[in-house]
Amino acid sequence: MPVSVSRKDPPELLKLRRACPVLDFVFRRAEAGKHLSREEKLVVMLSVGFLRNGRELLHHILSGTPDYSYHRIERMLEGIPRNPISCAKLEMWFRDFVLDRPCGCVFGEALKGRYPSPLLHIDPELVPTLEDRLTLHYSRPAELGRVYLHLRERLRYVEHELRRHFRRNPQRLRVGDYIFSLEGEEIIVRPRSA
């Protein structure tokens, strides 16, 4: 599905839309005048809200929604969490969407001790390092456990798909700066330079 972009979109927003299909999906729903769920509004706020002109972009994106209120958005901005949305949270909130369009982001050096977030595509400094975060900001340990189980389940599925690929095509697979291979039943990932 092609990314819907507007010539009025600033470069950071264009890059964010092209990099993350989930964010683009939510932005398009808002721009089409759809009623957004609480999670969809939070996604816009916890991504766009961290950009250089985030306040202005939030109002621009959400202004077409049926329940848009300038003052409500301003109040939400006063209570915005300190950290942007993570890829794990996006996958958890938009599980059905992600099943059809799995994320293929490889952040490499941009990660540098940070948690995966679409904002790494824009500027890694927008995402705090894990040491900078005092807590994981999950409402309960059970939520952290659910995120772990979800990611483990997703990893098992992806590993199964990679094994199937290698059984049909035993050649090595080059992905960015890494080489994938299958040795026995184990997927081996090595840097290309090694």
Side-chain angles (χ1 to χ4, degrees):
M1 169 185 320
V3 172
S4 168
V5 295
S6 162
R7 292 206 180 272
K8 295 179 246 176
D9 286 344
E12 304 101 341
L13 188 56
L14 288 173
K15 194 170 184 181
L16 198 56
R17 293 180 84 140
R18 287 185 179 122
C20 183
V22 176
L23 292 180
D24 184 57
F25 167 74
V26 174
F27 297 164
R28 281 187 290 111
R29 282 185 42 78
E31 291 165 349
K34 305 287 186 189
H35 182 70
L36 300 184
S37 68
R38 177 182 177 276
E39 287 83 8
E40 288 171 324
K41 290 175 189 169
L42 282 171
V43 162
V44 175
M45 181 161 294
L46 296 176
S47 58
V48 172
F50 286 87
L51 298 179
R52 181 176 28 90
N53 52 346
R55 176 174 254 111
E56 175 187 323
L57 288 170
L58 272 169
H59 286 288
H60 170 73
I61 292 170
L62 296 174
S63 65
T65 59
D67 60 346
Y68 170 75
S69 163
Y70 177 88
H71 298 293
R72 188 179 314 144
I73 298 299
E74 288 297 314
R75 278 195 311 272
M76 286 176 71
L77 280 168
E78 289 173 11
I80 193 169
R82 294 181 341 200
N83 301 312
I85 192 142
S86 68
C87 296
K89 186 71 78 175
L90 284 172
E91 287 187 358
M92 195 166 66
W93 284 351
F94 298 94
R95 179 174 266 202
D96 292 340
F97 182 86
V98 173
L99 285 175
D100 290 338
R101 295 160 200 84
C103 175
C105 295
V106 177
F107 295 111
E109 285 298 309
L111 207 54
K112 289 185 186 170
R114 293 170 163 80
Y115 61 91
S117 170
L119 291 181
L120 290 174
H121 293 291
I122 306 300
D123 179 3
E125 296 301 316
L126 294 172
V127 181
T129 63
L130 295 174
E131 292 81 31
D132 292 340
R133 295 179 74 193
L134 297 177
T135 68
L136 290 173
H137 293 289
Y138 290 99
S139 59
R140 308 179 303 283
E143 183 181 359
L144 182 58
R146 268 195 302 283
V147 169
Y148 171 77
L149 290 173
H150 170 73
L151 292 174
R152 187 177 72 171
E153 179 181 289
R154 188 140 174 83
L155 180 60
R156 285 182 179 160
Y157 172 77
V158 171
E159 286 175 340
H160 172 75
E161 290 298 310
L162 274 172
R163 284 187 191 96
R164 278 185 41 196
H165 165 77
F166 282 122
R167 286 185 190 112
R168 285 181 277 153
N169 182 3
Q171 297 176 349
R172 293 179 176 193
L173 178 65
R174 180 177 157 200
V175 179
D177 292 335
Y178 299 93
I179 302 290
F180 286 64
S181 62
L182 184 66
E183 295 179 10
E185 283 298 304
E186 187 177 357
I187 297 169
I188 305 297
V189 181
R190 293 186 176 93
R192 261 183 43 203
S193 59

